[in-house]
Amino acid sequence: MSGVTPNDLQDLDDISKKEVMSFLQAEHSKQKVQMSIHQFTNMCFKQCISSINNAELSSQEDLCLKNCVNRFLDTNIRVVQSLKNIQ
Amino acid sequence: MGLSSIFGGGSPSQQQETLIPNDNSNVKTQLKNQISQELAVANATELVNKVTENCFEKCLSAPYSIGQDGCVDQCLAKYMRSWNTISQAYIARIQQASADGDI
């Protein structure tokens, strides 16, 4: 994995630099979503999956996972709103 | 590279194109492939760590004298299904917020 050297980057023209920047920004946004999904799965799996009896999710487990994400996001929004109001 | 391909990295950067120096589009392609590949590896690593942590917790207990391969296999499958459920719920929520003009 030593394909691109710093010199190669400096030699890019402005249009290419812009293209690379917007690629990076897009990947960064996607990666933030990915990391949140990692975090939520880790957190909600602990709370919602009580026993490992088979490889399928039960309908309660599935519903619990969905609720877990949605309530976490509600909480996040609530906290941000409240902090805004204090300011 | 089986695992990283789950996260969309992989094949393009595998065939090391013969890089002509100073060729803009070649450098760009290489750079993009390299970034995608590294992100895919980082995501796969994170997933392996989280699955290991959670399934170790759910399937094994002190004094850890016996393994629980069957449980770990089922736990992994459950974790992947949970990942899908969570991902769908979260993305639906993002799309809703964006349709409502909240973000």
Side-chain angles (χ1 to χ4, degrees):
Chain A
M1 205 56 85
S2 57
V4 181
T5 66
N7 277 339
D8 290 336
L9 290 183
Q10 274 174 355
D11 291 343
L12 281 178
D13 59 46
D14 283 353
I15 296 164
S16 298
K17 279 180 185 162
K18 273 202 184 113
E19 191 190 323
V20 169
M21 275 310 290
S22 60
F23 174 81
L24 275 175
Q25 274 162 1
E27 289 301 306
H28 185 237
S29 312
K30 278 196 274 176
Q31 192 52 32
K32 282 205 289 195
V33 173
Q34 288 278 327
M35 287 316 291
S36 297
I37 299 172
H38 280 298
Q39 185 206 334
F40 300 156
T41 307
N42 183 40
M43 179 179 70
C44 298
F45 187 88
K46 286 191 205 303
Q47 304 295 328
C48 293
I49 310 299
S50 43
S51 63
I52 312 285
N53 296 320
N54 61 70
E56 304 290 329
L57 292 176
S58 72
S59 53
Q60 295 105 299
E61 285 169 338
D62 193 70
L63 183 63
C64 175
L65 290 169
K66 287 190 180 108
N67 287 337
C68 175
V69 181
N70 280 307
R71 294 300 83 71
F72 183 87
L73 292 172
D74 290 345
T75 308
N76 179 251
I77 290 166
R78 180 90 193 158
V79 168
V80 172
Q81 286 298 339
S82 301
L83 286 173
K84 258 190 202 160
N85 291 338
I86 293 170
Q87 275 191 342
Chain B
M1 270 312 140
L3 243 185
S4 66
S5 63
I6 299 172
F7 289 98
S11 36
S13 60
Q14 290 308 92
Q15 65 267 94
Q16 284 276 342
E17 306 146 47
T18 41
L19 176 74
I20 306 148
N22 299 328
D23 182 323
N24 276 318
S25 77
N26 236 329
V27 172
K28 272 188 313 200
T29 310
Q30 274 239 337
L31 189 63
K32 285 179 184 180
N33 283 341
Q34 201 170 318
I35 289 164
S36 302
Q37 178 71 22
E38 281 175 26
L39 285 173
V41 170
N43 275 314
T45 306
E46 178 76 6
L47 183 69
V48 170
N49 289 341
K50 293 287 186 254
V51 172
T52 305
E53 179 193 318
N54 277 285
C55 295
F56 183 79
E57 245 171 56
K58 298 264 187 226
C59 291
L60 291 103
S61 57
Y64 304 114
S65 46
I66 37 166
Q68 298 287 353
D69 288 349
C71 177
V72 171
D73 290 349
Q74 290 184 338
C75 178
L76 168 63
K78 267 196 150 172
Y79 199 91
M80 299 302 278
R81 292 191 164 98
S82 301
W83 166 279
N84 285 333
T85 295
I86 299 267
S87 153
Q88 279 162 19
Y90 182 44
I91 286 164
R93 194 67 193 249
I94 294 172
Q95 281 167 347
Q96 188 57 50
S98 130
D100 294 347
D102 293 337
I103 45 173

